[in-house]
Amino acid sequence: MKVRELIRYSDRLLKGRRSRTMMICILPLGAELFFRCGEAAVYSLLLYFGSIPPIKLFGGDEPLQLAVTVVSTVLRCVTAAPLTYAAAYRLCGMTGEGQCRQWGSFSRILLRKCTLKRSISAALWTKAISLLALAPAVFFGVSAYGMIHEKMYADEVFIAANLIFLGAVSVFMWLSLKLSFSAVPYLLVRFPKLTAFRTMVFSVSFMRGRKSVFLRLLAVYLPQMLTIAGLPFGLTKLMTSFAISIDIFIKEDEYLEADRAEGGRRKARNTGKISHRTKRRVKAAADKA
């Protein structure tokens, strides 16, 4: 799939509705940044008044710091996940066909019971699986760091090198998994009968061999998104282009599935044309065997 064609088609699709689409696409990021800044503000106050030492911010044994982290994470999940789902719903309405064309107002989409349930459930599943996938990288990294900062012998150098290599491989696998989860909001919209967990599992197989498309789109729009003024425009174009690519991938899978089914029916029809004499010969040979 050519990224240039995706970008050209997304620009054509956004013509006349860029401002409305931009507001919808920027809301999930805005909610995420709002609660991140709130969490940072609370930590700053705790440090200023001396409630906790700075080193405690990087651990998990301080009850106050742990409570702030949990509350902030829950608030981010409850707000950002439905906003991301609603944005994906509107983008699928622009790029897709059938049921996705029934847009409705953004607020109505956002406040539906199925939106809240499916989006929050999918966000929790993806975060849990991502944390489990990151655990080996953290283990190998901490072990290698502990060995490097001590006097090492030849066999310990070999072990540390292997730990660094395994840590790099684990980080690569974690990033690959995170890229596979990038299609979850769009697949939740396009396949409403799938549960959140099954959608997450389906996203991993759906994005196999297709993650490079998202990476190429990200490489095109990332320089624009690094500036404050260009962030809303780059994010909107990125999400729209990716929604178009998801729609194309779904149609490709539907075409391949239909082609396999047609091939199976064709084989069945050809089998039915075998003469009775040939069938008797095959049966006789099987009996002798």
Side-chain angles (χ1 to χ4, degrees):
M1 183 183 299
K2 294 183 178 180
V3 173
R4 189 182 306 170
E5 296 177 0
L6 286 175
I7 295 172
R8 189 183 301 118
Y9 184 65
S10 66
D11 290 338
R12 195 185 314 151
L13 206 61
L14 288 170
K15 192 174 294 183
R17 47 190 168 194
R18 190 181 299 272
S19 58
R20 288 177 296 172
T21 309
M22 189 184 304
M23 287 297 298
I24 292 170
C25 292
I26 204 69
L27 279 175
L29 180 61
E32 184 80 18
L33 291 176
F34 176 79
F35 289 108
R36 289 283 186 184
C37 292
E39 186 179 3
V42 173
Y43 288 153
S44 299
L45 290 173
L46 292 176
L47 292 174
Y48 179 78
F49 290 106
S51 300
I52 57 174
I55 192 63
K56 293 292 184 180
L57 294 178
F58 303 97
D61 54 347
E62 183 66 28
L64 187 57
Q65 182 265 343
L66 188 61
V68 172
T69 303
V70 170
V71 171
S72 177
T73 303
V74 170
L75 289 175
R76 287 201 311 270
C77 182
V78 170
T79 54
L83 287 170
T84 304
Y85 178 90
Y89 195 99
R90 290 301 298 266
L91 291 174
C92 288
M94 291 168 54
T95 62
E97 298 175 354
Q99 187 180 0
C100 292
R101 284 289 185 182
Q102 302 171 4
W103 288 2
S105 63
F106 183 77
S107 58
R108 185 176 299 177
I109 297 169
L110 184 61
L111 297 176
R112 289 190 309 176
K113 184 178 179 180
C114 64
T115 297
L116 298 173
K117 181 180 177 181
R118 284 166 57 79
S119 61
I120 294 173
S121 178
L124 291 175
W125 276 115
T126 52
K127 285 183 180 297
I129 299 300
S130 298
L131 287 174
L132 287 176
L134 187 61
V138 173
F139 172 76
F140 292 131
V142 170
S143 301
Y145 180 81
M147 294 188 67
I148 289 173
H149 279 71
E150 296 178 359
K151 185 178 179 181
M152 294 187 298
Y153 298 99
D155 54 345
E156 293 176 338
V157 172
F158 177 75
I159 294 174
N162 280 275
L163 287 173
I164 293 172
F165 174 75
L166 291 174
V169 172
S170 300
V171 170
F172 176 79
M173 293 176 65
W174 175 74
L175 290 174
S176 177
L177 185 66
K178 293 288 287 184
L179 286 173
S180 299
F181 289 158
S182 60
V184 169
Y186 303 94
L187 297 178
L188 283 172
V189 175
R190 294 303 302 269
F191 300 96
K193 293 183 179 180
L194 289 179
T195 62
F197 179 77
R198 290 183 63 188
T199 304
M200 181 195 65
V201 175
F202 174 61
S203 179
V204 176
S205 60
F206 179 81
M207 290 297 292
R208 186 176 295 123
R210 294 166 172 169
K211 292 186 282 288
S212 60
V213 175
F214 181 74
L215 288 175
R216 282 181 284 164
L217 288 172
L218 189 62
V220 171
Y221 292 118
L222 186 60
Q224 186 179 5
M225 293 167 59
L226 291 177
T227 61
I228 297 176
L231 177 61
F233 299 95
L235 183 64
T236 303
K237 292 179 181 178
L238 174 65
M239 293 181 67
T240 307
S241 301
F242 190 56
I244 295 170
S245 67
I246 292 293
D247 186 62
I248 293 172
F249 293 152
I250 291 173
K251 290 179 179 177
E252 286 178 354
D253 289 346
E254 290 175 350
Y255 175 78
L256 291 174
E257 190 66 28
D259 188 60
R260 289 195 203 98
E262 183 63 27
R265 286 195 294 269
R266 199 180 299 117
K267 285 182 179 179
R269 286 197 297 268
N270 293 338
T271 304
K273 294 179 181 178
I274 299 176
S275 64
H276 291 290
R277 182 178 300 175
T278 305
K279 289 181 180 179
R280 284 197 299 268
R281 289 177 186 170
V282 171
K283 187 176 182 304
D287 291 340
K288 289 180 179 179

